[in-house]
Amino acid sequence: MAQHWTHRGGGWLPPQRPRPGVVPLRPLGPGDILGGAFTALSRYGGRLCGALLLG
């Protein structure tokens, strides 16, 4: 991963760790499925509603 420049304080920062995905990689229960759906809706709500209206 490449380093990036920041305007806060100046200088190079180490790369940030990747964030985990929406759904965990393990056997899923009903709570995990609903939690993933609500997480996806909160992150990508506008895009999901736009795709719903177009479809």
Side-chain angles (χ1 to χ4, degrees):
M1 287 191 192
Q3 295 179 338
H4 62 278
W5 179 260
T6 177
H7 65 283
R8 285 178 263 140
W12 291 98
L13 293 177
Q16 296 178 351
R17 295 179 57 202
R19 295 190 322 184
V22 175
V23 180
L25 297 176
R26 65 180 197 289
L28 301 176
D32 294 324
I33 294 170
L34 289 176
F38 286 120
T39 300
L41 187 60
S42 67
R43 286 186 189 175
Y44 310 111
R47 293 180 184 160
L48 289 173
C49 290
L52 178 66
L53 291 175
L54 290 176

